[in-house]
Amino acid sequence: MRSKLTRYWPAVALALLVPIWLIGLFGRGIWSPDEPREFDIAYNMLRSGDLVVPQLAGAPFVEKPPLAYWVQSASMRLFGPSIAAARLPNLLWAALAVLSIGALAGDAAGERNRHRAALIAAIACGSAVLVLQAQIWLATDAPLVAFTAVALLSGWRLAHADTRQRQLAWSLLFGSSLASALLAKNGFGLLVPTFATVTWLAWERQLHELRRWPWWVAAATCALVVGAWLVALTNRPGGGELLRTLLWDNLVTRLLPVQSRGAYDLGHESSHWKFLLLLPVYVLPWTFAMLGAGRWLREVVRHSNESGQAVRYCVSATVPACVVLLLSRTARGVYFAPALLCVPVLLALWLTERWGAFRPFEQTALRLTRYTLLMLVILFTIAATWLLVMVGVHSVVALTASALIAFVFIGTALSLRASASPIHALVAATLLFFASLVALQLVAFPVLDRSQSIAALIAAAEPQLRDGRVAVYCGDETTRATLDYLLDLRPPQVCGDADARLLLSDHSDQRFLVLLAPPRTAQRFEELFPGAHLPGLRTKPPRGSRSVADLARLGLQPIACWSVPGGRKYALYGRSPQRPRPAASCPRTISG
């Protein structure tokens, strides 16, 4: 944390975070449930050249606007269609988010503590569990987090700009980042920046500032950019229905307790208490540090100086958005990632303000944060070691992971015995945390890939799927997407006895591909690690499948079955003279 090191805080933060991002993005395959769908939409955009209407397996898919798919398809055009090329823009999104939050913390801390606060906020932002999850996942959440961070930074700087040139520049950036966040994830992109700006200005008793021209320029910029796409969408065939799906079914009905169309399935039913209890988990490993900053926040929030303004701005960017998401009709944990972006800023402001003069309660919080980091280090290291032993990987990856594990064990032992200052001990524990996380990623991702190798599963089923008439029965988006981008197959989608009977009445040789019920935990574990047993989890019977029961009532039986270890299982049902095979048993297992 020396001044010469913190002066180059962007390079230091990226040096620590980029290895985690690289392994998370390029050290694994395509994982369900979201990534096959997102990849197929970008792949369809690449093939069709249609930049207005995103398509899933050839059908319009406007649950989300197209910005993420624009960038993913452009990347695949440059580097070839692959999951790695589709994920490459996530490196930009991750770096943009981390550097914007670091810059915001530096502005809020003032000139004296600028670089130190920026470094702390950038590292805490990039390593918080929820933000990290969003950054390495192929989905629209990564650009949403990035442009929300840019909007928070540009909104703060616009409010403090002292010349017309700076006001114009920051208003244009604020408006374009709002538009980009909205084009990444619908109206959720406006949630955090809008609440941050309006609530903060009202708190500062400066709501009249919104009447000034820079804010109107920002609003006009956002409206022009988003409006151009909405007009193009409306002018397409069925544009009115697409617009309704986008704005009503996927925005209004997710936030408010109103009904969507009967045939439209929202999913992600919100569990308000669950998310409230999970909020401390989402900011791990910095949860106890934030509790330690709580008392300081209550004191500073009343101050009229720049620190008080910054704290009020961060609270305005966090609390109202979290309340809306907690009360919304549907939600997912990752929705909270943009709302928690200012938590690292508050953490950095507290640490730099109290540097060297922590109160007893704050010292306890720092010790608990250090213990949390070391506990995670120990858990990650034990898990990585156990996986190395169980899987028996013999490769450069295994050697690298083994060296990291040895380093982490030695470093953890020395750190536990050290009597350094709270900050120095925290820095050491943080470095060990990064090393152990890299080791766990190197070892765990190849194992998890075996349970996620849906492409290998579908490829093994290709001869049967191309031979004769095959429909997908109650198929999910993952199945449709994988069949589309891997085999260029778009079979009919049916769900329910009536539709299935209609197909069978036309063609008696009609067959149906059905996704079987997921295996129990014990079965997953034993498939991934042959020879290992979990006897305590064997009491539960195998899960039943409603789709299988439907097809069995129609007199159909399983003709073929495919599965991956510990993962998805598919069966092909039809009329066959062969002896029926129990659908729950999949004798053919595909290893990825």
Side-chain angles (χ1 to χ4, degrees), residues 79-315:
F79 302 105
S82 67
I83 185 61
R87 285 200 190 115
L88 185 61
N90 279 40
L91 274 179
L92 172 64
W93 306 140
L96 193 60
V98 163
L99 297 181
S100 296
I101 291 302
L104 177 60
D107 287 358
E111 195 62 36
R112 180 173 174 269
N113 294 317
R114 176 180 299 275
H115 302 308
R116 181 182 291 172
L119 178 59
I120 294 171
I123 292 175
C125 176
S127 57
V129 61
L130 189 62
V131 175
L132 181 59
Q133 173 193 340
Q135 289 171 334
I136 66 173
W137 199 252
L138 184 65
T140 56
D141 301 289
L144 170 66
V145 169
F147 287 113
T148 299
V150 176
L152 291 171
L153 172 64
S154 55
W156 172 264
R157 290 190 172 179
L158 173 59
H160 291 84
D162 54 1
T163 65
R164 292 182 66 87
Q165 291 80 3
R166 291 179 179 176
Q167 289 175 342
L168 178 60
W170 290 117
S171 64
L172 291 174
L173 182 59
F174 184 55
S176 58
S177 58
L178 285 177
S180 300
L182 196 152
L183 287 174
K185 192 121 181 174
N186 212 332
F188 286 98
L190 299 179
L191 185 65
V192 174
T194 302
F195 271 121
T197 302
V198 175
T199 305
W200 176 64
L201 288 176
W203 203 343
E204 300 294 323
R205 298 180 181 178
Q206 295 181 12
L207 204 54
H208 60 275
E209 288 289 317
L210 292 176
R211 297 199 297 264
R212 298 181 61 242
W213 67 268
W215 301 102
W216 286 98
V217 169
T221 303
C222 178
L224 286 174
V225 174
V226 177
W229 174 68
L230 290 176
V231 169
L233 181 68
T234 306
N235 290 332
R236 287 300 181 91
E241 186 67 17
L242 296 176
L243 200 63
R244 175 187 171 89
T245 300
L246 175 75
L247 298 180
W248 182 262
D249 293 332
N250 282 282
L251 180 60
V252 177
T253 59
R254 289 190 183 275
L255 293 173
L256 301 176
V258 294
Q259 292 297 320
S260 61
R261 293 169 298 175
Y264 194 84
D265 182 19
L266 280 172
H268 311 312
E269 284 295 328
S270 181
S271 176
H272 313 299
W273 289 107
K274 181 187 77 171
F275 288 129
L276 182 62
L277 296 175
L278 284 176
L279 283 178
V281 178
Y282 293 153
V283 295
L284 279 174
W286 312 109
T287 306
F288 287 108
M290 280 309 306
L291 292 176
R295 186 177 301 176
W296 175 81
L297 291 176
R298 289 197 301 270
E299 297 175 0
V300 176
V301 77
R302 301 184 181 91
H303 293 175
S304 59
N305 56 16
E306 190 170 357
S307 295
Q309 285 188 357
V311 169
R312 290 190 289 272
Y313 184 74
C314 292
V315 172

Side-chain angles (χ1 to χ4, degrees), residues 506-550:
D506 293 336
H507 305 284
S508 60
D509 61 344
Q510 179 70 54
R511 292 177 293 173
F512 299 90
L513 180 68
V514 60
L515 175 64
L516 302 181
R520 295 287 186 185
T521 302
Q523 184 182 350
R524 290 175 186 248
F525 186 84
E526 292 176 3
E527 289 178 358
L528 278 174
F529 308 105
H533 301 284
L534 293 177
L537 298 179
R538 288 178 173 273
T539 56
K540 294 183 179 180
R543 289 187 175 95
S545 173
R546 182 177 178 181
S547 299
V548 167
D550 290 344

Side-chain angles (χ1 to χ4, degrees), residues 51-92:
L51 301 180
V52 177
V53 183
Q55 298 178 24
L56 173 65
F61 186 88
V62 290
E63 288 188 11
K64 303 175 184 69
L67 182 137
Y69 311 125
W70 289 342
V71 183
Q72 290 164 12
S73 62
S75 178
M76 288 193 286
R77 187 176 297 278
L78 287 175
F79 302 105
S82 67
I83 185 61
R87 285 200 190 115
L88 185 61
N90 279 40
L91 274 179
L92 172 64

